[in-house]
Amino acid sequence: MPTPHIYLAPMEGVTTFLYRRAHAAVYGPLDKYFTPFLEPREKRSMKTKERNEVLPEHNESLNVVPQILTNHAAGFLELAGTLWEMGYREINLNLGCPSKTVVTRGKGSGFLAAPEELDRFFDAVYKGLPGEMKLSVKTRIGVEADEEFERLLAIYNQYPISELIIHPRLQQDYYKNHPRKEAYRYALEESKVPLCYNGDLFTEGQIREFEAEFPKEDRLMLGRGIILNPGLPSVLRGEADCRDEKVQRRKFLEFHRRVVDGYRALDIGDRNVLFKVKELWFYQIHLFEHAEKYGKKIKKAQNLETYMECVRELTACCRIAPPGSPAK
Ligand SMILES: Cc1cc2nc3c(=O)[nH]c(=O)nc-3n(C[C@H](O)[C@H](O)[C@H](O)COP(=O)(O)O)c2cc1C
């Protein structure tokens, strides 16, 4: 099976520039990295957190695609212009975010409820996009019914969208239920835009099954699967040491150290660093066998020293689960 192109999904608060850099340094670069969403603001300037995501010196030698969340063409174009000047040649539109606060403002997957407005949005955006800027789209298949997707895909098909990343869930699914593979199959038949699949591929086994079901598919966006097991791309690429438990444990520790050091260097205070790195364990804990009690200790750690001690204990006592083992 040829190796698919692997993209890291945008995950607000998780796949930050520090995470992306640490991952690339230890596990090798992925084909593309999407930033967590940036929102255009009336006062123009980006929040520090957003600026950090796109500063060229924070993303050196990585193929990074900034993602934008909005339903206003003017704001989108203004931010696109800033990103163009920073050197970006692809941006991504978020039509997938299911969170209530975003959806009620008609953004993310909330924008899918207004197909006519969406059509007008693309029309205005393509009239004003700078130079050769590529625009890719990350979308859900609708708000409340599978049938909505036909109309949405017809809209996407009218524009020179560079890539359509489909997370085949409805907004109302949030992350529940299963991805609606039939909708993806429909897109494979009907889309004029090159496709990329995203959703619920957590293990090597699940990815191989997906590849058998969709043999022509060669682009995958992975989110929680990589956070859960940062070595997953190495397994998919068939790298020599990807099944060597000791090597993988060493790599994980190196990766983890880089993430912690990265956050510490931001000068945001130890409590904030602790909060950021603890969040990752919601997923990462499943990489290790019989790690529940160590996971609880990590969660309880009140300062960075105790936290680091708990992580050392966990990695000394628990083996990394073999690749392909079922995600919990
Ligand atoms: C904590 C979290 C934050 C996310 N933030 C974003 C985001 O900023 N932009 C976006 O398009 N999707 C976001 N997503 C959705 C992911 O990019 C991805 O579509 C979703 O996790 C499904 O892929 P997976 O099953 O491979 O994780 C987020 C998901 C999670 C769990």
Side-chain angles (χ1 to χ4, degrees):
M1 201 63 86
T3 311
H5 290 90
I6 302 169
Y7 303 165
L8 182 65
M11 291 175 76
E12 168 68 11
V14 179
T15 57
T16 60
F17 72 100
L18 292 165
Y19 187 96
R20 303 192 296 268
R21 277 205 319 218
H23 190 275
V26 176
Y27 296 99
L30 299 175
D31 294 285
K32 275 187 198 177
Y33 300 83
F34 291 75
T35 71
F37 64 76
L38 318 172
E39 275 195 271
R41 268 157 241 288
E42 283 189 9
K43 284 187 198 146
R44 261 190 68 109
S45 62
M46 280 184 228
K47 283 185 190 167
T48 310
K49 189 172 126 191
E50 293 182 336
R51 186 167 293 282
N52 271 335
E53 287 304 323
V54 290
L55 275 177
E57 57 268 36
H58 287 174
N59 291 296
E60 250 170 288
S61 73
L62 299 183
N63 189 7
V64 172
V65 179
Q67 185 188 64
I68 301 179
L69 176 87
T70 188
N71 54 7
H72 287 288
F76 182 93
L77 286 170
E78 199 166 307
L79 185 49
T82 306
L83 293 165
W84 171 268
E85 278 160 25
M86 289 175 118
Y88 290 98
R89 294 298 174 260
E90 180 183 338
I91 46 179
N92 180 264
L93 174 67
N94 178 328
L95 294 177
C97 183
S99 97
K100 275 248 158 57
T101 47
V102 166
V103 167
T104 49
R105 289 185 288 138
K107 298 178 186 177
S109 61
F111 205 174
L112 304 177
E116 274 169 30
E117 279 174 38
L118 186 62
D119 196 355
R120 280 199 295 275
F121 173 90
F122 279 119
D123 189 58
V125 159
Y126 274 106
K127 283 182 179 139
L129 258 191
E132 299 292 303
M133 184 68 111
K134 285 186 191 167
L135 168 58
S136 59
V137 170
K138 180 166 180 280
T139 189
R140 290 199 174 213
I141 60 164
V143 178
E144 52 187 28
D146 295 44
E147 293 69 39
E148 295 167 39
F149 189 47
E150 194 178 328
R151 172 93 194 273
L152 295 169
L153 190 60
I155 293 172
Y156 300 145
N157 275 340
Q158 291 173 53
Y159 296 96
I161 293 168
S162 62
E163 192 167 50
L164 185 63
I165 301 148
I166 301 180
H167 178 62
R169 279 192 166 97
L170 295 165
Q171 181 258 312
Q172 292 191 347
D173 290 329
Y174 291 93
Y175 292 98
K176 295 190 297 270
N177 306 326
H178 293 291
R180 297 162 188 257
K181 296 262 183 68
E182 278 318 305
Y184 195 69
R185 207 179 296 285
Y186 172 78
L188 278 175
E189 281 163 18
E190 300 295 330
S191 177
K192 293 181 184 156
V193 182
L195 297 183
C196 170
Y197 177 86
N198 167 243
D200 291 27
L201 298 178
F202 303 131
T203 64
E204 181 192 18
Q206 289 168 344
I207 293 170
R208 297 303 176 213
E209 258 176 45
F210 178 86
E211 286 172 332
E213 201 177 340
F214 297 99
K216 288 196 189 135
E217 194 50 320
D218 67 347
R219 307 172 199 211
L220 296 178
M221 174 184 270
L222 304 177
R224 291 166 294 175
I226 289 183
I227 314 306
L228 189 153
N229 177 9
L232 182 61
S234 316
V235 175
L236 299 177
R237 290 190 293 239
E239 285 168 14
D241 55 14
C242 71
R243 289 171 206 279
D244 183 324
E245 202 271 336
K246 270 200 189 124
V247 172
Q248 288 309 311
R249 203 152 12 137
R250 186 173 47 67
K251 281 195 172 187
F252 177 83
L253 273 172
E254 165 69 5
F255 165 69
H256 176 263
R257 187 191 58 74
R258 281 176 185 259
V259 174
V260 175
D261 287 353
Y263 280 117
R264 288 181 97 164
L266 283 185
D267 252 350
I268 52 175
D270 279 9
R271 279 191 76 79
N272 288 323
V273 175
L274 197 57
F275 178 77
K276 300 297 299 174
V277 292
K278 272 188 186 179
E279 218 177 324
L280 298 173
W281 285 100
F282 181 71
Y283 304 98
Q284 280 171 176
I285 196 69
H286 301 299
L287 177 60
F288 295 90
E289 290 179 330
H290 314 298
E292 292 75 12
K293 85 170 186 209
Y294 302 98
K296 281 185 190 151
K297 280 190 180 179
I298 288 175
K299 222 172 177 179
K300 281 192 194 147
Q302 290 294 323
N303 58 58
L304 265 179
E305 267 170 36
T306 318
Y307 167 85
M308 290 304 276
E309 188 46 49
C310 294
V311 173
R312 268 192 294 275
E313 195 186 357
L314 167 105
T315 50
C317 299
C318 303
R319 286 173 61 84
I320 283 192
S325 61
K328 286 176 200 148

